[in-house]
Amino acid sequence: MGVEYFDLFYSHRPDPETPLEETLGALDTIVKHGKALYAGVSSYTGAQFADSVRAVQQHDWAPITIHQPYYNLLHRTIEWDLLAQTERFGAGVIAFAPLASGLLTDKFLSGEIPSTSRAATIWPRRWVQSHSVEDRRRILTGLNEIARQRGQTLAQLAIAWVLRLPAITSALIGASSVRQLEDNVAALKNLRFSPDELNRIDALTLTEAR
Ligand SMILES: NC(=O)c1ccc[n+]([C@@H]2O[C@H](COP(=O)([O-])OP(=O)(O)OC[C@H]3O[C@@H](n4cnc5c(N)ncnc54)[C@H](OP(=O)(O)O)[C@@H]3O)[C@@H](O)[C@H]2O)c1
């Protein structure tokens, strides 16, 4: 990659065929050799994350400074599975795909999601497959209406909502144009949610996400 070291090096996801301590020991070696400043993990469950932190503490290995989970309005598992653990151990959380890979934008409000689109083929695939076109339209247009009332686009609402929790350090977005990037960064202008807004968002997404 043409760099002398990484600022942050992740274990991308747990490997069931490799003992956890072997993976964590490798991260420690990378940090101790100066190839990375910090170690992190991605897509570990809450239990796997807690086991990892305990193991590195026991061996005095490089700490797990951050977790990178999949988190957005349509996939809320980390709220009950992971965040209590990251808060307990003082680790940061950078949520990836806060726009559900493009689903939480104004492109799919009709509920029609082409089977070849990224949103239908990668991370949000299960949500797309388990909802009818009518349900998708109801949920996405409902969220879009809340965004409109807040003076935001759906993408801005989705990003602001992910950042609402103190446990979330940052959101890792993708963009295919400068315009999208500027639109998304403008989400920072309104990060506050009223209890009524949060309740309306929960009514549209919480049972869906469990
Ligand atoms: N740790 C992991 O396992 C893991 C897995 C996946 C991703 N990631 C990381 O997360 C990053 C983001 O993932 P992602 O790109 O799938 O998720 P995302 O941020 O949820 O979605 C980004 C996509 O949404 C669309 N978009 C963005 N802003 C928009 C706007 N303002 N208006 C309309 N459409 C907009 C674009 O799609 P179009 O290109 O179609 O316009 C863009 O490519 C990746 O770059 C990667 O670094 C990590």
Side-chain angles (χ1 to χ4, degrees), residues 12-13 42-43 68 96-102 105-107 118 122-123 155 172-176 179-181 183-184:
H12 192 244
R13 63 195 50 156
S42 178
S43 297
Q68 188 185 132
F96 77 79
L99 304 175
S101 299
T105 67
D106 54 10
K107 285 187 288 208
R118 269 170 15 104
I122 49 173
W123 287 86
L172 184 52
I173 57 169
S176 55
R179 194 197 60 75
Q180 284 185 356
L181 197 56
D183 182 33
N184 297 345

Side-chain angles (χ1 to χ4, degrees), residues 76 146 194-206:
R76 300 179 57 170
I146 298 169
S194 70
D196 177 58
E197 286 171 336
L198 291 174
N199 286 338
R200 289 165 64 204
I201 289 171
D202 283 352
L204 285 164
T205 64
L206 202 48

Side-chain angles (χ1 to χ4, degrees), residues 49-118:
F49 176 77
D51 286 348
S52 303
V53 173
R54 281 190 211 101
V56 301
Q57 286 176 344
Q58 195 181 344
H59 293 283
D60 200 20
W61 284 341
I64 309 295
T65 54
I66 196 153
H67 190 303
Q68 188 185 132
Y70 179 51
Y71 182 50
N72 57 56
L73 282 160
L74 307 179
H75 187 89
R76 300 179 57 170
T77 311
I78 68 164
E79 288 175 29
W80 48 91
D81 178 64
L82 176 71
L83 295 184
Q85 305 294 350
T86 52
E87 285 190 297
R88 178 173 160 213
F89 292 113
V93 178
I94 177 165
F96 77 79
L99 304 175
S101 299
L103 213 51
L104 290 163
T105 67
D106 54 10
K107 285 187 288 208
F108 301 107
L109 295 177
S110 69
E112 300 281 354
I113 299 164
S115 59
T116 52
S117 68
R118 269 170 15 104

